[in-house]
Amino acid sequence: MLKKQKVILVTDVVCLVAVLIFLLSLPSKLFKSPTSYVVEASNGELLSAAIAKDGQWRFPAADTVPDKFAKCIVAFEDKRFYRHPGVDILALSRAMKLNISVGRVVSGGSTITMQVVRLYRRESRTMLQKLIEVLLAFRLEFSNSKQDILKLYAANAPFGSNVVGLDAAAWRYFGRSAKSLSWGEMATLAVLPNSPSLVHPGKNSPKLIKKRNDLLDKMVNLNVIDRQTADLSKLEPIPGKPLELPQYAPHLLNRFKNEYTSLIKSAKDVKSTKITSTLNYDLQLRVNSLLKRYNNRYRANDINNIAAMVLDVRNGSVISYVGNIYQPEVAELESHVDMIKAARSPGSTLKPLLYGSMLNDGFLLPRTLVADVPTQIGGYSPQNYDLGYDGAIPADRALSRSLNIPAVKMLQNYKYQRFYDKLKRMGFGTLNKPADHYGLSLILGGSEVTMWDLAKTYMGMARTLNHFNDYKGKYNPHDYDAPVYITGKRDDRFDDFETEVASVMDYGSIWNTFNAMEELMRPGEEGLWEQFSSSQRLAWKTGTSFGFRDAWAIGLNPDYVVCVWVGNADGEGRPGLTGIDAAAPVLFDIFKLLPSGKWFKKPANQLKNIIVCRKSGYKAGEYCADKVLEQVSPAGEKTTLCPYHKMVHLDRTSTYRVTDACEAPSMMVHKAWFVLPPAMEYYYKIKNSDYKDLPPFKAGCDDGGGNYVMDMIYPKNNASVYIPIEFDGTRGKVVLNATHRNQGMKIYWHIDNEYIATTKDYHQLAVSPAPGKHTLTLVDENGERLVQVFTVLEKDKD
């Protein structure tokens, strides 16, 4: 009895071990070979693919096997596939009988399941290995459905040359996806794995055609297809040499490859090296074509590279991604560089962000006057693109005209440290040096940004306007607000609006910023576009970096953000490489490819009604006569009152200004007057004919105004100036420029307390003082004095 129990126990153990061996004989994942990185468009069309690390074209396994291939491969390899448990006993018996009779393996009798096992094991074809394949085939069928086994076969079967798997074969041999192949094309592919080293497109064509046609006849006999379909399929040509795969989004493909490791850790939907992207297939191809046409034109001026990206504002996805013109065969073009990821000088594209930030933080109102006069700040002298000056200009007009001096003046007022911190909060990851490194040049392109970060920021602002109720009227940058390029990756990240983060810009500030950006003139249309109802309403901005190295244009509406960069990847500058001339035309042509839509909504509860002085754009003060109602950010209430409207005391004829020292108060006429500081006035009244000069003081009256009647335009106090050496070797001169509020007043010029000259009406003087520090003293006929210091630096001729 005890012996019998031992036998039973041993038997049970042996059976258990056998079961365990059977269950553990195959790993959970059979195939671990590297696969190609593949990017599809949102509609499933192939955009780009890269060869696998082992040099094979091997696409990741598809979710389904095309019905045509399943029927073709079953008819060709394993007609009883759906009825056997992994091994076809009848076929195997015939094969073994034949192999024994000839003394070697000439017929395998392998089922599709056994072939999957052989592809996994990669062992030589011997009787022992055949027996192992039989056992493992049973094991594979035990835990996998027939469809799963077909998927494994379709993904890993060899199709000749370095092509593995049905999907890669369909594209390499027919230039289309497997699901779109005809019966003849699918039959051609079905016969290839049977002998891939001998039969593949381009070699042994007669044998390939015969195999295909035999399979088509067999499928007729099995009632899979009719005779007419088979005969028509036999007329189809077989492929020649393998085709190049599409490269419609190569830079996005490389981005995906570089980000793959982090993506599979953070996103549950990224499970393989193949993604269905958010890119719109038709738009991507049309943008590619558009950029290629412009690139052909620009290369005549040695401008070799161009990039563009289009974002869908509504769902925050990338719908077109062209990182560069793709011409890898021309090495000097460096077209492999993804300029969407490259850090480049942004030119003026950050100016709207400063404008919006100042509105948000109560530093100005949309039309607040900003100084536009010659400026020197610590040896730094910004210049407007047109080299002119307006004296004073509304902030929104300064933005729409992209004037540099007002932008620098605004940043000086706002403080570059504050703006730097705000840009960091907006997600500009390339600001990797302290704020002092950039200084005031930050607003003129003195930093570097990527197109990705720039477009992301403007998209976030646009989303705030679209979702003002959900976002509570404030732009709060989050990591999850970044654009996505993988379908389904967004999940519900836009559904959580409760996170309390200090906002960088409110609705009213963004609204007024976009309206100011809309004022720009479109290139080549001279403003006439406004007459056409089909023209889209766009907020847009251009940028040009120092040295004409980068040309930018970014534009948006409630539906789309488009960003364009033009230049040379190696940083070489070229004449004429400006945002308005090179990038803006591309921007507007891309928008022509997009559907038109409505402008942003204007909810009254997000804007504040403020009474504003029409002339100055400041919050109206006591002496502002012409007032208007403006809808602005609630922070507008914190702005200062108008400093330019003053109460002026005139004599009874309103001809002269007077004081109580020369006129009885009862005899005075009191008027509100728009008065700019002398330097601003000097240029402002040139372009504004309605500007009225202050009347002169009546004889015997002391204005008590001090230096307010005189101002130095160039050089400013404590400035450094250069005096060049002319080509003939003589020492050049510097032109000093001053202004006086009273026209016709004489100014007496002194350098280092030595009288130099007298000027009247136009106060300009060419002098050539010695190198070093000098004191400049100006005295007018009334004895008013203006004293300041400047330093002369010698500059040799080039």
Side-chain angles (χ1 to χ4, degrees):
M1 184 70 178
L2 183 62
K3 184 176 181 180
K4 184 176 180 180
Q5 289 177 341
K6 288 182 178 180
V7 170
I8 294 174
L9 179 61
V10 170
T11 303
D12 290 343
V13 170
V14 170
C15 291
L16 179 61
V17 171
V19 170
L20 289 175
I21 293 174
F22 177 75
L23 293 176
L24 299 176
S25 60
L26 288 177
S28 58
K29 184 177 181 180
L30 288 185
F31 299 95
K32 298 182 180 180
S33 300
T35 55
S36 300
Y37 283 90
V38 180
V39 173
E40 295 178 340
S42 58
N43 64 351
E45 291 287 344
L46 180 65
L47 288 173
S48 288
I51 199 166
K53 290 181 180 179
D54 60 356
Q56 303 294 308
W57 284 106
R58 184 189 297 107
F59 284 16
D63 293 332
T64 59
V65 177
D67 183 63
K68 288 180 182 177
F69 181 76
K71 290 178 177 177
C72 285
I73 198 66
V74 167
F76 185 70
E77 293 282 6
D78 189 0
K79 64 181 180 181
R80 286 182 287 273
F81 173 70
Y82 292 104
R83 301 195 297 273
H84 63 63
V87 177
D88 188 340
I89 302 299
L90 294 177
L92 189 62
S93 299
R94 284 197 302 267
M96 291 180 65
K97 183 177 180 180
L98 178 61
N99 293 338
I100 292 173
S101 66
V102 299
R104 57 190 177 88
V105 177
V106 295
S107 176
S110 296
T111 63
I112 293 176
T113 309
M114 293 171 66
Q115 291 184 50
V116 170
V117 172
R118 186 187 308 143
L119 290 171
Y120 153 64
R121 299 184 69 246
R122 298 182 181 180
E123 298 289 346
S124 58
R125 299 178 68 180
T126 64
M127 297 297 289
L128 175 61
Q129 294 301 330
K130 176 67 68 174
L131 179 60
I132 295 174
E133 285 176 12
V134 169
L135 294 175
L136 293 181
F138 283 122
R139 169 65 183 86
L140 187 62
E141 291 269 354
F142 176 78
S143 58
N144 291 273
S145 68
K146 293 291 185 180
Q147 286 300 318
D148 289 338
I149 293 171
L150 278 178
K151 284 193 288 186
L152 289 171
Y153 180 86
N156 297 280
F159 284 83
S161 187
N162 64 341
V163 181
V164 177
L166 173 65
D167 288 339
W171 279 103
R172 288 287 279 164
Y173 296 140
F174 296 104
R176 300 199 308 282
S177 64
K179 62 184 179 182
S180 66
L181 298 183
S182 66
W183 281 110
E185 292 167 335
M186 197 65 86
T188 302
L189 293 184
V191 302
L192 287 181
N194 183 258
S195 51
S197 61
L198 176 64
V199 182
H200 63 83
K203 292 183 180 179
N204 301 307
S205 295
K207 189 172 183 180
L208 177 58
I209 292 173
K210 183 178 186 307
K211 277 181 169 287
R212 179 198 66 181
N213 292 349
D214 289 347
L215 174 57
L216 291 169
D217 289 336
K218 188 175 183 179
M219 292 171 67
V220 172
N221 295 333
L222 294 173
N223 295 318
V224 176
I225 58 176
D226 57 40
R227 172 53 59 188
Q228 183 179 13
T229 299
D231 290 343
L232 291 174
S233 298
K234 291 178 182 180
L235 298 177
E236 296 180 17
I238 61 172
K241 63 179 181 179
L243 305 174
E244 295 290 335
L245 267 65
Q247 293 297 340
Y248 299 136
H251 300 95
L252 183 64
L253 176 74
N254 288 332
R255 186 182 192 113
F256 170 51
K257 288 174 64 177
N258 294 334
E259 296 178 354
Y260 176 71
T261 301
S262 60
L263 285 171
I264 60 175
K265 292 179 179 179
S266 62
K268 61 185 180 182
D269 54 292
V270 180
K271 300 174 182 176
S272 74
T273 57
K274 175 182 175 182
I275 58 168
T276 299
S277 74
T278 58
L279 268 59
N280 181 295
Y281 182 77
D282 292 333
L283 179 65
Q284 179 71 7
L285 267 59
R286 295 175 75 182
V287 172
N288 269 323
S289 177
L290 176 67
L291 265 57
K292 186 174 183 180
R293 292 201 305 271
Y294 273 100
N295 183 249
N296 290 337
R297 183 190 310 172
Y298 292 157
R299 283 180 64 182
N301 189 28
D302 292 327
I303 300 171
N304 298 322
N305 305 104
I306 185 170
M309 183 167 66
V310 183
L311 304 180
D312 186 322
V313 174
R314 302 291 179 179
N315 57 32
S317 62
V318 183
I319 58 174
S320 181
Y321 189 110
V322 183
N324 211 331
I325 294 298
Y326 191 64
Q327 292 181 291
E329 68 278 5
V330 187
E332 60 269 21
L333 296 184
E334 297 187 83
S335 61
H336 64 282
V337 179
D338 184 355
M339 299 310 302
I340 291 176
K341 296 174 62 177
R344 306 290 293 208
S345 167
S348 297
T349 56
L350 301 183
K351 287 177 181 176
L353 305 183
L354 173 62
Y355 177 81
S357 296
M358 294 185 74
L359 294 176
N360 180 80
D361 295 347
F363 279 79
L364 52 69
L365 297 175
R367 295 187 54 79
T368 296
L369 285 181
V370 182
D372 183 21
V373 296
T375 301
Q376 288 182 319
I377 304 171
Y380 174 54
S381 300
Q383 297 290 326
N384 292 328
Y385 184 75
D386 61 3
L387 301 180
Y389 309 97
D390 282 74
I393 185 171
D396 60 347
R397 289 291 296 160
L399 174 60
S400 66
R401 288 176 54 192
S402 197
L403 297 178
N404 289 338
I405 293 174
V408 171
K409 290 284 191 182
M410 289 165 65
L411 184 57
Q412 188 180 28
N413 180 32
Y414 189 66
K415 305 303 180 186
Y416 64 79
Q417 297 91 341
R418 181 184 286 109
F419 187 52
Y420 170 88
D421 290 340
K422 184 153 288 194
L423 291 177
K424 294 279 282 187
R425 287 169 55 199
M426 288 179 179
F428 287 92
T430 48
L431 297 175
N432 47 25
K433 295 179 180 178
D436 290 340
H437 172 80
Y438 306 104
L440 293 174
S441 70
L442 188 61
I443 197 58
L444 301 182
S447 64
E448 291 184 330
V449 305
T450 65
M451 182 187 293
W452 184 267
D453 286 348
L454 189 67
K456 173 186 69 175
T457 299
Y458 281 98
M459 183 188 75
M461 294 166 65
R463 286 191 63 84
T464 301
L465 297 196
N466 284 345
H467 301 276
F468 56 87
N469 288 327
D470 295 326
Y471 282 8
K472 300 177 182 177
K474 297 183 182 296
Y475 174 33
N476 302 322
H478 297 82
D479 290 339
Y480 55 66
D481 282 332
V484 296
Y485 59 85
I486 302 175
T487 298
K489 183 173 179 290
R490 180 166 306 281
D491 294 325
D492 298 324
R493 64 185 189 153
F494 279 136
D495 294 338
D496 179 15
F497 302 107
E498 298 303 321
T499 305
E500 289 296 332
V501 180
S503 70
V504 297
M505 213 175 296
D506 63 22
Y507 183 98
S509 303
I510 299 172
W511 168 265
N512 282 300
T513 298
F514 286 173
N515 284 334
M517 293 170 67
E518 191 191 6
E519 296 293 323
L520 287 166
M521 183 182 295
R522 302 191 184 195
E525 299 184 15
E526 300 179 353
L528 297 178
W529 59 272
E530 294 175 324
Q531 300 176 14
F532 298 93
S533 59
S534 61
S535 296
Q536 298 190 53
R537 293 188 65 181
L538 303 177
W540 62 291
K541 185 74 186 73
T542 59
T544 304
S545 67
F546 178 78
F548 302 104
R549 294 183 176 90
D550 306 273
W552 292 88
I554 186 164
L556 58 92
N557 60 22
D559 300 303
Y560 305 103
V561 171
V562 177
C563 195
V564 176
W565 174 90
V566 181
N568 287 308
D570 62 5
E572 179 186 358
R574 296 298 303 167
L577 181 58
T578 65
I580 195 68
D581 292 325
V586 184
L587 175 89
F588 284 103
D589 277 351
I590 291 176
F591 265 107
K592 290 177 182 177
L593 302 176
L594 301 170
S596 297
K598 297 180 180 180
W599 191 238
F600 296 102
K601 295 180 181 178
K602 183 182 179 182
N605 61 343
Q606 299 292 335
L607 300 172
K608 185 77 174 180
N609 291 324
I610 294 181
I611 299 176
V612 175
C613 181
R614 185 187 296 274
K615 277 196 172 183
S616 71
Y618 279 85
K619 192 163 57 173
E622 181 182 359
Y623 303 121
C624 292
D626 192 1
K627 303 174 184 178
V628 294
L629 192 66
E630 279 193 0
Q631 290 187 310
V632 300
S633 164
E637 289 190 324
K638 298 188 295 184
T639 58
T640 60
L641 296 176
C642 175
Y644 300 135
H645 280 84
K646 304 178 182 296
M647 181 61 68
V648 176
H649 310 294
L650 306 174
D651 66 0
R652 72 185 68 185
T653 65
S654 297
T655 305
Y656 298 100
R657 279 183 289 163
V658 295
T659 67
D660 58 4
C662 62
E663 189 84 15
S666 60
M667 303 299 291
M668 294 180 185
V669 176
H670 309 289
K671 284 188 177 181
W673 211 282
F674 179 57
V675 185
L676 291 174
M680 293 169 64
E681 178 186 77
Y682 177 79
Y683 292 99
Y684 184 84
K685 63 185 182 182
I686 294 174
K687 295 189 176 183
N688 296 270
S689 58
D690 60 341
Y691 183 82
K692 295 181 179 179
D693 289 315
L694 276 172
F697 275 95
K698 188 176 181 180
C701 286
D702 179 14
D703 67 344
N707 291 341
Y708 190 68
V709 298
M710 255 188 308
D711 200 0
M712 199 70 200
I713 295 176
Y714 183 84
K716 292 295 185 183
N717 195 28
N718 295 316
S720 297
V721 300
Y722 290 94
I723 296 183
I725 303 300
E726 305 293 351
F727 285 103
D728 61 2
T730 61
R731 197 163 184 275
K733 293 184 178 182
V734 60
V735 177
L736 309 181
N737 193 2
T739 182
H740 199 290
R741 188 174 300 286
N742 297 329
Q743 192 169 4
M745 181 69 71
K746 291 180 181 180
I747 294 181
Y748 305 96
W749 298 71
H750 305 76
I751 295 180
D752 299 330
N753 294 320
E754 180 181 344
Y755 170 75
I756 300 298
T758 301
T759 58
K760 183 179 180 181
D761 295 329
Y762 299 101
H763 304 291
Q764 293 181 344
L765 192 64
V767 296
S768 185
K773 184 173 288 187
H774 298 278
T775 300
L776 177 65
T777 305
L778 278 60
V779 183
D780 70 4
E781 294 177 78
N782 295 330
E784 297 298 336
R785 295 164 60 87
L786 174 65
V787 181
Q788 64 181 48
V789 176
F790 69 98
T791 301
V792 174
L793 304 176
E794 202 72 54
K795 185 176 182 181
D796 296 333
K797 66 179 180 180
D798 295 330

